[in-house]
Amino acid sequence: MTKRPILIHPDPRLKKVSAPVPDLSDDLRRLADDMLETMYDAPGIGLAAPQVGVNTRLIVLDCVKAEGEAPRPLIMFNPEIVAASDERSVYEEGCLSIPEQYGEVERPAEVSLRWIDRDGREQQEDFAGLWATCVQHEIDHLDGKLFIDYLKPLRRQLITRRMQKLKRERARV
Ligand SMILES: [Zn+2]
């Protein structure tokens, strides 16, 4: 497995709508494994393929945070929300493409999700709590949407300027 560089906002590749996966291939499985390694290393709890510059509908996540609890790495090709609760919840979200910036986002508290797993099998499962927020955040990436798009315009512009500055600084070293 290889760690891949994570794109930092603003980047046109983070704003594109990603294409569905027609058929699983070894290349796509390798990409998914690389993404998990990249995510754990960051460290983060979710990563979408556009964040490593690939505009394909693939996300990985593991929202197990409690110490001593077994990790639960999930690889989802073509993830799709098939139902969402009316009840909503608010989480302070962050993003590996927008380092060290956070903002409260309100989303459905529970979602029912369908996806294709690493072995090409269709899966369906309900997610709640942090998992529900995380899958929605990652699926947003596949539609070119970032969590800062839910924030007030001034806050979004402030964060974007900070990221432009961060990218200039990183380019200099
Ligand atoms: Zn993100």
Side-chain angles (χ1 to χ4, degrees):
M1 286 195 275
T2 323
K3 251 176 52 186
R4 305 214 182 189
I6 297 174
L7 299 183
I8 302 296
H9 163 75
D11 188 297
R13 288 166 287 181
L14 292 172
K15 301 304 292 175
K16 282 214 280 198
V17 175
S18 291
V21 175
D23 283 300
L24 283 194
S25 62
D26 285 345
D27 278 352
L28 280 169
R29 287 192 186 91
R30 200 168 306 125
L31 171 63
D33 294 339
D34 286 355
M35 281 169 57
L36 271 178
E37 174 156 337
T38 305
M39 178 193 85
Y40 282 126
D41 180 78
I45 58 172
L47 190 68
Q51 293 180 276
V52 294
V54 183
N55 285 107
T56 289
R57 300 190 84 82
L58 161 63
I59 63 173
V60 300
L61 61 153
D62 183 350
C63 301
V64 172
K65 277 189 135 179
E67 222 171 297
E69 211 178 316
R72 192 190 176 207
L74 283 178
I75 291 172
M76 298 179 172
F77 293 98
N78 298 340
E80 204 184 327
I81 294 166
V82 290
S85 65
D86 291 333
E87 191 203 330
R88 298 173 73 85
S89 65
V90 176
Y91 268 96
E92 180 153 85
E93 297 190 18
C95 181
L96 293 177
S97 293
I98 312 172
E100 284 164 44
Q101 307 296 316
Y102 303 92
E104 287 193 340
V105 179
E106 188 187 301
R107 301 179 187 271
E110 286 177 42
V111 288
S112 183
L113 211 73
R114 191 158 58 201
W115 73 94
I116 305 293
D117 71 13
R118 198 182 182 284
D119 300 316
R121 284 188 301 243
E122 190 174 293
Q123 301 282 350
Q124 186 160 344
E125 190 176 325
D126 295 342
F127 292 94
L130 182 60
W131 286 88
T133 287
C134 187
V135 291
Q136 292 175 79
H137 174 119
E138 300 311 330
I139 289 174
D140 271 352
H141 275 299
L142 305 181
D143 295 318
K145 197 163 182 185
L146 302 170
F147 84 88
I148 55 170
D149 294 331
Y150 294 92
L151 307 181
K152 292 199 173 75
L154 276 176
R155 174 97 185 116
R156 181 164 65 239
Q157 285 155 20
L158 175 72
I159 290 177
T160 299
R161 278 199 300 274
R162 279 186 190 146
M163 292 300 102
Q164 283 163 333
K165 186 162 169 270
L166 175 74
K167 287 173 81 167
R168 280 198 302 272
E169 284 165 3
R170 284 192 181 176
R172 234 176 269 140
V173 264

PDB file of all heavy atoms in Angstrom, residues 46 51 94-97 137-138 141 146-147, ligand 1:
ATOM      1  N   GLY A  46     -12.338   9.579   7.385  1.00  0.00           N
ATOM      2  CA  GLY A  46     -12.948   9.327   6.079  1.00  0.00           C
ATOM      3  C   GLY A  46     -12.138   9.999   4.987  1.00  0.00           C
ATOM      4  O   GLY A  46     -11.445  10.990   5.235  1.00  0.00           O
ATOM      5  N   GLN A  51     -10.249  13.512  -3.269  1.00  0.00           N
ATOM      6  CA  GLN A  51      -9.238  14.132  -2.404  1.00  0.00           C
ATOM      7  C   GLN A  51      -7.825  13.661  -2.725  1.00  0.00           C
ATOM      8  O   GLN A  51      -6.855  14.283  -2.306  1.00  0.00           O
ATOM      9  CB  GLN A  51      -9.552  13.850  -0.928  1.00  0.00           C
ATOM     10  CG  GLN A  51     -10.827  14.543  -0.455  1.00  0.00           C
ATOM     11  CD  GLN A  51     -11.096  14.236   0.999  1.00  0.00           C
ATOM     12  OE1 GLN A  51     -11.673  13.202   1.329  1.00  0.00           O
ATOM     13  NE2 GLN A  51     -10.662  15.121   1.883  1.00  0.00           N
ATOM     14  N   GLY A  94     -14.643  18.568  10.083  1.00  0.00           N
ATOM     15  CA  GLY A  94     -13.363  18.994   9.547  1.00  0.00           C
ATOM     16  C   GLY A  94     -13.134  18.197   8.277  1.00  0.00           C
ATOM     17  O   GLY A  94     -13.967  17.371   7.903  1.00  0.00           O
ATOM     18  N   CYS A  95     -12.019  18.422   7.611  1.00  0.00           N
ATOM     19  CA  CYS A  95     -11.781  17.742   6.338  1.00  0.00           C
ATOM     20  C   CYS A  95     -10.283  17.700   6.079  1.00  0.00           C
ATOM     21  O   CYS A  95      -9.595  18.698   6.301  1.00  0.00           O
ATOM     22  CB  CYS A  95     -12.492  18.512   5.223  1.00  0.00           C
ATOM     23  SG  CYS A  95     -12.293  17.765   3.593  1.00  0.00           S
ATOM     24  N   LEU A  96      -9.788  16.553   5.617  1.00  0.00           N
ATOM     25  CA  LEU A  96      -8.349  16.440   5.357  1.00  0.00           C
ATOM     26  C   LEU A  96      -7.899  17.369   4.231  1.00  0.00           C
ATOM     27  O   LEU A  96      -6.717  17.679   4.127  1.00  0.00           O
ATOM     28  CB  LEU A  96      -7.987  14.982   5.029  1.00  0.00           C
ATOM     29  CG  LEU A  96      -8.151  13.993   6.193  1.00  0.00           C
ATOM     30  CD1 LEU A  96      -7.837  12.578   5.737  1.00  0.00           C
ATOM     31  CD2 LEU A  96      -7.271  14.380   7.376  1.00  0.00           C
ATOM     32  N   SER A  97      -8.839  17.829   3.396  1.00  0.00           N
ATOM     33  CA  SER A  97      -8.496  18.774   2.329  1.00  0.00           C
ATOM     34  C   SER A  97      -8.588  20.226   2.795  1.00  0.00           C
ATOM     35  O   SER A  97      -8.305  21.145   2.023  1.00  0.00           O
ATOM     36  CB  SER A  97      -9.412  18.568   1.117  1.00  0.00           C
ATOM     37  OG  SER A  97      -9.157  17.306   0.526  1.00  0.00           O
ATOM     38  N   HIS A 137     -20.692  13.353   4.534  1.00  0.00           N
ATOM     39  CA  HIS A 137     -19.582  14.265   4.200  1.00  0.00           C
ATOM     40  C   HIS A 137     -18.772  13.698   3.024  1.00  0.00           C
ATOM     41  O   HIS A 137     -18.444  14.417   2.085  1.00  0.00           O
ATOM     42  CB  HIS A 137     -18.706  14.440   5.457  1.00  0.00           C
ATOM     43  CG  HIS A 137     -17.443  15.224   5.257  1.00  0.00           C
ATOM     44  ND1 HIS A 137     -17.191  16.392   5.933  1.00  0.00           N
ATOM     45  CD2 HIS A 137     -16.352  14.986   4.480  1.00  0.00           C
ATOM     46  CE1 HIS A 137     -16.000  16.857   5.558  1.00  0.00           C
ATOM     47  NE2 HIS A 137     -15.465  16.023   4.688  1.00  0.00           N
ATOM     48  N   GLU A 138     -18.484  12.384   3.084  1.00  0.00           N
ATOM     49  CA  GLU A 138     -17.658  11.776   2.021  1.00  0.00           C
ATOM     50  C   GLU A 138     -18.416  11.709   0.702  1.00  0.00           C
ATOM     51  O   GLU A 138     -17.842  11.945  -0.364  1.00  0.00           O
ATOM     52  CB  GLU A 138     -17.164  10.388   2.444  1.00  0.00           C
ATOM     53  CG  GLU A 138     -16.307  10.352   3.710  1.00  0.00           C
ATOM     54  CD  GLU A 138     -15.183  11.370   3.721  1.00  0.00           C
ATOM     55  OE1 GLU A 138     -14.661  11.720   2.647  1.00  0.00           O
ATOM     56  OE2 GLU A 138     -14.841  11.856   4.818  1.00  0.00           O
ATOM     57  N   HIS A 141     -18.281  14.828  -1.215  1.00  0.00           N
ATOM     58  CA  HIS A 141     -17.057  15.004  -2.005  1.00  0.00           C
ATOM     59  C   HIS A 141     -17.237  14.477  -3.426  1.00  0.00           C
ATOM     60  O   HIS A 141     -16.686  15.033  -4.379  1.00  0.00           O
ATOM     61  CB  HIS A 141     -15.889  14.249  -1.358  1.00  0.00           C
ATOM     62  CG  HIS A 141     -15.169  15.019  -0.285  1.00  0.00           C
ATOM     63  ND1 HIS A 141     -14.526  16.200  -0.523  1.00  0.00           N
ATOM     64  CD2 HIS A 141     -14.980  14.748   1.040  1.00  0.00           C
ATOM     65  CE1 HIS A 141     -13.970  16.643   0.607  1.00  0.00           C
ATOM     66  NE2 HIS A 141     -14.236  15.776   1.569  1.00  0.00           N
ATOM     67  N   LEU A 146     -18.098  20.533  -0.486  1.00  0.00           N
ATOM     68  CA  LEU A 146     -17.274  20.502   0.726  1.00  0.00           C
ATOM     69  C   LEU A 146     -18.103  20.956   1.924  1.00  0.00           C
ATOM     70  O   LEU A 146     -19.102  21.662   1.747  1.00  0.00           O
ATOM     71  CB  LEU A 146     -16.077  21.442   0.551  1.00  0.00           C
ATOM     72  CG  LEU A 146     -15.165  21.142  -0.646  1.00  0.00           C
ATOM     73  CD1 LEU A 146     -14.174  22.277  -0.863  1.00  0.00           C
ATOM     74  CD2 LEU A 146     -14.425  19.830  -0.431  1.00  0.00           C
ATOM     75  N   PHE A 147     -17.653  20.596   3.127  1.00  0.00           N
ATOM     76  CA  PHE A 147     -18.467  20.977   4.301  1.00  0.00           C
ATOM     77  C   PHE A 147     -18.560  22.490   4.451  1.00  0.00           C
ATOM     78  O   PHE A 147     -19.556  23.010   4.970  1.00  0.00           O
ATOM     79  CB  PHE A 147     -17.945  20.300   5.586  1.00  0.00           C
ATOM     80  CG  PHE A 147     -16.797  21.014   6.265  1.00  0.00           C
ATOM     81  CD1 PHE A 147     -17.038  22.016   7.204  1.00  0.00           C
ATOM     82  CD2 PHE A 147     -15.484  20.687   5.982  1.00  0.00           C
ATOM     83  CE1 PHE A 147     -15.993  22.683   7.837  1.00  0.00           C
ATOM     84  CE2 PHE A 147     -14.436  21.345   6.609  1.00  0.00           C
ATOM     85  CZ  PHE A 147     -14.685  22.344   7.538  1.00  0.00           C
TER      86      PHE A 147
HETATM   87 ZN    ZN B   1     -13.688  15.961   3.550  1.00  0.00          ZN
END
